[in-house]
Amino acid sequence: MGGQVQRHRGDARGRRRLVHRLVQLRQGRLPKWETFHTAEVRQLIERNYGAGGLRAAIGNSSGAQGAFSYAARHPGLFKYAASLSGILSMRGIGIPAMLMFTNAGNGQDPFAIWGVPRADDANWAAHDPYALADKLRGVGLFFSAGTTGRPGPGDPDVAPWDIGLLSEIAIGANNKEFKKRLDELNVPYTAHIYDDGRHNWPAWIREAQFVWPKLMQAVNAQTTAAAARR
């Protein structure tokens, strides 16, 4: 009986959250992060800071998924995209549950991003780099992730069950799955699937330093700087 009551209360809370989101949507109050990132910010930096028409995107963790998703969903917007420990196959085994757990643990509504897994599968697929992989053709791609669940250079001394170590195991396997998909589609890429490394900044800084020249080359940053000096 107690379990049933708790379940019914949870369902009621879920319905209230859904109704709240629908009201927000109808009133135009839901945040539109993708529009903000790909249209509004772009216009601001082009108009106010003289940014050119060549663009590259780089992100770590959820930002890495966003970099690849945006590149696929907005053809021609980015010349290069780099993912550092990003989830690149969002609907892979265990990944939706991990995302739900992570977002709920941060005090967020885990269903407020892409909806309920499986029930809102079309929306998940519409933002899943794996499902959108063929649309990344023509974009320079770099992705990296660790695989062993052991600390790497610069990582803190943490317990083996640390979430930063355990999550990187899943993300490393996930990146291998995405790599296989690109191979099937014959989409070019550069990948660095390494051994030791936690899901945190020491590894991401190393990987960002490695790929940075490629990002700058993609947007002709050096050529632009040379032209400015002339």
Side-chain angles (χ1 to χ4, degrees), residues 7-205:
R7 184 174 68 250
H8 293 328
R9 287 175 179 171
D11 292 344
R13 285 195 295 269
R15 287 194 294 270
R16 286 197 295 271
R17 286 197 299 266
L18 177 59
V19 170
H20 179 63
R21 289 201 298 271
L22 290 174
V23 170
Q24 287 183 314
L25 180 61
R26 179 169 291 184
Q27 295 177 347
R29 289 164 47 202
L30 282 180
K32 298 181 179 180
W33 285 108
E34 186 165 346
T35 300
F36 175 67
H37 289 149
T38 61
E40 296 175 3
V41 170
R42 176 175 58 83
Q43 294 169 11
L44 286 171
I45 62 175
E46 287 176 355
R47 182 176 67 242
N48 297 342
Y49 297 95
L54 299 177
R55 306 172 199 91
I58 182 173
N60 58 269
S61 193
S62 60
Q65 176 271 328
F68 272 41
S69 174
Y70 286 178
R73 287 168 57 82
H74 301 272
L77 185 62
F78 296 109
K79 297 288 290 183
Y80 204 99
S83 162
L84 315 179
S85 296
I87 292 177
L88 302 181
S89 180
M90 290 168 44
R91 295 142 73 226
I93 296 174
I95 296 300
M98 186 175 77
L99 291 172
M100 296 295 98
F101 175 79
T102 301
N103 288 321
N106 291 332
Q108 304 173 41
D109 178 356
F111 304 128
I113 305 176
W114 302 292
V116 180
R118 298 188 68 178
D120 296 306
D121 188 64
N123 197 42
W124 280 71
H127 296 85
D128 184 355
Y130 184 96
L132 301 171
D134 191 51
K135 296 184 178 182
L136 290 168
R137 195 180 307 275
V139 180
L141 300 174
F142 172 83
F143 54 97
S144 65
T147 58
T148 65
R150 295 191 299 260
D155 286 338
D157 184 14
V158 294
W161 53 85
D162 170 72
I163 187 61
L165 297 179
L166 296 178
S167 63
E168 194 69 7
I169 297 175
I171 292 170
N174 189 266
N175 275 237
K176 289 181 179 179
E177 184 180 348
F178 180 73
K179 179 177 179 292
K180 182 179 179 181
R181 180 58 176 159
L182 294 183
D183 287 336
E184 292 172 349
L185 296 172
N186 198 28
V187 174
Y189 62 85
T190 300
H192 183 208
I193 309 299
Y194 49 89
D195 294 329
D196 299 346
R198 188 172 180 261
H199 193 74
N200 66 347
W201 284 103
W204 299 338
I205 290 172

